[in-house]
Amino acid sequence: MKKHMVVGLLIAVGIALVFGPAVLYWHFVRPWQHVVNLDYYYQTKIASASPHNRDPRNNLASLPAGHQTFDGVRFNVAGLIQLADGNDVTQANNPYPKSIEDVPVNRFCHRLHLLHGTVQGVDDQTVVASLVLHYADGTTGKLDIIYGQQVYDWWFKGSSDLPLAGNTKVAWAGENPVATSAGYRIRVFKSSFINPKPNTRIDTADFVSALTPSGPFLLALTVE
């Protein structure tokens, strides 16, 4: 009986030695990440996603779809949420909303990560969109997406290297037929924001256009 107990103890110690460091690594080096479900809010699937353009060839079809990792953050690239710009809201047939609201989050988190972009450039330091957080205690927080810091026009020429804020990187750069024929390439950005109230649960989030001439779009949202 004692022999079996010793063997069992040795096995348990061995398992702890093998899996303990892995668990610690995952917890501290590769933190927990929750992909927020945006399926209800997508206007188009990613394979046919054409930001602010009715030409189906001017699309993001070459962006890797499904569960992808960009700059160490897991996203679910499944569709496109395009918000209106300031010119859209003056048109009777505007197909784009000013905002999407009440996106369920229901999580405590320290950071929020966006995979996103915008159509049409504006002056640097212009707020083009915001992520509005609704907390369980009834308060709200606002995270601004600023042109020249978190985002630039999704079409570009030359290098994709840009003077971005420290919380943002170019997540991906690629091509589509329309951009290529005009001598351009396309890109999307990954921006990471610190949650102002990490000890309070975020119930829901809104993605809101600032209604400038630049039309913001959102592809994925992950909280950590």
Side-chain angles (χ1 to χ4, degrees), residues 65-81:
H67 288 274
Q68 303 290 334
T69 299
F70 296 102
D71 191 35
V73 176
R74 293 188 301 110
F75 292 101
N76 184 23
V77 183
L80 171 77
I81 298 167

Side-chain angles (χ1 to χ4, degrees), residues 71 112-117 144-146 148-152 160 162-171 188-193:
D71 191 35
L112 299 99
H113 308 282
L114 284 74
L115 189 67
H116 65 118
D144 288 334
I145 298 168
I146 301 172
Q149 292 191 25
Q150 283 81 37
V151 74
Y152 285 86
S160 62
L162 298 164
L164 293 160
N167 68 338
T168 297
K169 291 186 178 180
V170 175
V188 297
F189 298 85
K190 187 222 83 174
S191 294
S192 300
F193 293 93

Side-chain angles (χ1 to χ4, degrees), residues 24-220:
L24 290 173
Y25 172 81
W26 185 258
H27 182 72
F28 291 106
V29 180
R30 296 293 303 274
W32 163 89
Q33 295 173 348
H34 171 72
V35 176
V36 176
N37 186 353
L38 299 177
D39 287 350
Y40 176 79
Y41 303 90
Y42 290 133
Q43 293 137 343
T44 55
K45 297 297 184 183
I46 196 63
S48 57
S50 181
H52 207 276
N53 195 302
R54 293 194 173 102
D55 187 338
R57 301 173 304 151
N58 188 24
N59 58 42
L60 285 164
S62 57
L63 175 66
H67 288 274
Q68 303 290 334
T69 299
F70 296 102
D71 191 35
V73 176
R74 293 188 301 110
F75 292 101
N76 184 23
V77 183
L80 171 77
I81 298 167
Q82 175 70 62
L83 297 186
D85 64 29
N87 297 318
D88 291 325
V89 295
T90 65
Q91 301 175 14
N93 61 344
N94 166 41
Y96 306 118
K98 298 178 184 178
S99 63
I100 59 162
E101 300 178 355
D102 301 323
V103 177
V105 178
N106 298 318
R107 290 290 189 280
F108 294 86
C109 68
H110 289 275
R111 292 180 178 82
L112 299 99
H113 308 282
L114 284 74
L115 189 67
H116 65 118
T118 197
V119 181
Q120 187 64 41
V122 290
D123 292 339
D124 285 359
Q125 311 309 314
T126 300
V127 175
V128 297
S130 299
L131 191 68
V132 179
L133 310 176
H134 298 274
Y135 294 98
D137 63 0
T139 61
T140 60
K142 186 165 170 278
L143 306 172
D144 288 334
I145 298 168
I146 301 172
Y147 196 90
Q149 292 191 25
Q150 283 81 37
V151 74
Y152 285 86
D153 190 357
W154 78 302
W155 275 34
F156 73 101
K157 284 185 176 180
S159 173
S160 62
D161 293 333
L162 298 164
L164 293 160
N167 68 338
T168 297
K169 291 186 178 180
V170 175
W172 172 86
E175 301 174 347
N176 72 38
V178 177
T180 299
S181 66
Y184 286 81
R185 299 182 70 209
I186 57 176
R187 62 193 170 194
V188 297
F189 298 85
K190 187 222 83 174
S191 294
S192 300
F193 293 93
I194 295 174
N195 181 5
K197 299 180 68 173
N199 296 319
T200 306
R201 188 183 72 245
I202 299 173
D203 283 346
T204 62
D206 307 333
F207 182 52
V208 182
S209 173
L211 299 180
T212 71
S214 188
F217 61 85
L218 178 65
L219 298 165

